[in-house]
Amino acid sequence: MHIKKNVVDNIIGTLLNIDSKSKDNLQACLDLKEMGLRPELHPIPKASDKTYLPPASFTMSYMEKDDLLRIIKNVKMPDGYASNVSCCVKPQKRTIKGMKSHDGHILMQQLLPIALRKSISKKVAESLIELSTFFREICSKTLRVEDLNRLESRIPNILCQLEMIFSPGFFTIMVHLTVHLVAESKLGGPVHYRWMYPVKRYLHRLKFHVRNKAAPEGSISKGYLLEELLTFCSH
């Protein structure tokens, strides 16, 4: 659950070039220069102590960012399927803020593959869509051993494709942990029996019962009792 959220934050932060979240920064370009990789992306010193960072293959223009954010903001989902992801989109600042774990889950598996098709180059979009497909298949309600074996052999290739696109700073420990998700599924079974999305949603529901912050437990118990009474009366 949190692995997917961190992977989504890396992707969105890097594509939209969000401050403090983008993995394509000066330090990443200096790392490439130190390792002798991708000379076309090495920083170029300019006058008055300024540095020019050449655009990478995944660098998006303002128009492409607007297209990506417009698709995510205008999406309509069934009631209860997900929270209002459009509230997290800030078109004026060209950023996405305030996403919860389940928002990242929906964004990675459902929205991102659609939004990237017309918003970025084909090579980058195909690699990210394959990563999204991997998460969607591993979160299926039914898992077969032959499918897991195929995914286990496929995920290293997907990460290698991403390594040829993104800078080394993109690959944090959370991105690396995607390699071990298949082995975890083989040991624990389908992930939807083990993740915490229903629990977190229920805790969020209880949080709304708090009216007196000096006594939160009493507010929750009173609100829960009233909800049970209304349910009983309605039956």
Side-chain angles (χ1 to χ4, degrees):
M1 182 175 72
H2 292 97
I3 293 176
K4 187 185 300 181
K5 177 63 167 58
N6 282 271
V7 172
V8 171
D9 287 343
N10 278 11
I11 294 174
I12 295 298
T14 303
L15 294 181
L16 298 179
N17 196 22
I18 301 175
D19 292 338
S20 73
K21 289 188 177 182
S22 176
K23 303 300 179 182
D24 182 37
N25 46 34
L26 177 60
Q27 187 59 48
C29 295
L30 292 175
D31 291 341
L32 291 175
K33 184 177 181 179
E34 184 177 353
M35 292 185 289
L37 301 174
R38 305 181 195 173
E40 69 277 5
L41 297 180
H42 293 177
I44 302 174
K46 295 290 184 179
S48 65
D49 297 332
K50 293 184 178 180
T51 304
Y52 172 71
L53 301 181
S57 60
F58 54 85
T59 302
M60 302 174 67
S61 64
Y62 288 154
M63 185 177 298
E64 291 173 338
K65 292 179 183 180
D66 292 339
D67 292 339
L68 175 66
L69 295 174
R70 189 182 305 112
I71 293 174
I72 298 175
K73 187 172 182 61
N74 295 334
V75 68
K76 303 294 183 182
M77 290 175 288
D79 185 29
Y81 182 76
S83 64
N84 194 358
V85 183
S86 61
C87 293
C88 303
V89 179
K90 312 298 180 185
Q92 295 80 9
K93 298 181 179 180
R94 294 188 175 92
T95 184
I96 299 179
K97 292 184 178 180
M99 284 198 309
K100 303 297 183 182
S101 298
H102 193 260
D103 298 333
H105 168 77
I106 297 298
L107 183 63
M108 186 68 189
Q109 295 192 183
Q110 308 295 337
L111 304 182
L112 203 59
I114 300 174
L116 288 176
R117 291 180 179 179
K118 296 295 183 179
S119 304
I120 204 169
S121 64
K122 183 177 179 181
K123 179 182 178 182
V124 180
E126 287 179 348
S127 300
L128 293 176
I129 289 173
E130 286 189 12
L131 181 62
S132 175
T133 304
F134 167 80
F135 278 113
R136 186 166 60 250
E137 291 187 12
I138 206 172
C139 293
S140 301
K141 292 184 178 180
T142 302
L143 296 177
R144 296 186 298 179
V145 177
E146 53 268 24
D147 293 337
L148 291 177
N149 292 334
R150 174 177 55 83
L151 292 174
E152 192 171 22
S153 61
R154 183 59 184 155
I155 185 60
N157 295 331
I158 296 175
L159 293 182
C160 287
Q161 293 176 10
L162 295 176
E163 284 181 357
M164 293 187 290
I165 298 173
F166 294 100
S167 59
F170 179 86
F171 298 92
T172 59
I173 185 63
M174 285 296 182
V175 178
H176 165 73
L177 288 177
T178 56
V179 180
H180 304 285
L181 292 179
V182 178
E184 181 183 345
S185 297
K186 288 182 178 180
L187 294 174
V191 67
H192 70 279
Y193 291 118
R194 296 177 282 114
W195 60 24
M196 296 297 292
Y197 293 133
V199 178
K200 293 184 71 175
R201 180 172 292 186
Y202 183 67
L203 293 176
H204 180 69
R205 183 179 176 183
L206 293 179
K207 184 179 178 181
F208 275 98
H209 292 321
V210 177
R211 294 295 181 266
N212 183 3
K213 293 186 178 181
E217 297 88 351
S219 298
I220 291 175
S221 61
K222 185 176 180 179
Y224 178 82
L225 179 61
L226 290 175
E227 187 175 334
E228 289 293 314
L229 289 174
L230 290 175
T231 304
F232 176 76
C233 293
S234 64
H235 284 236

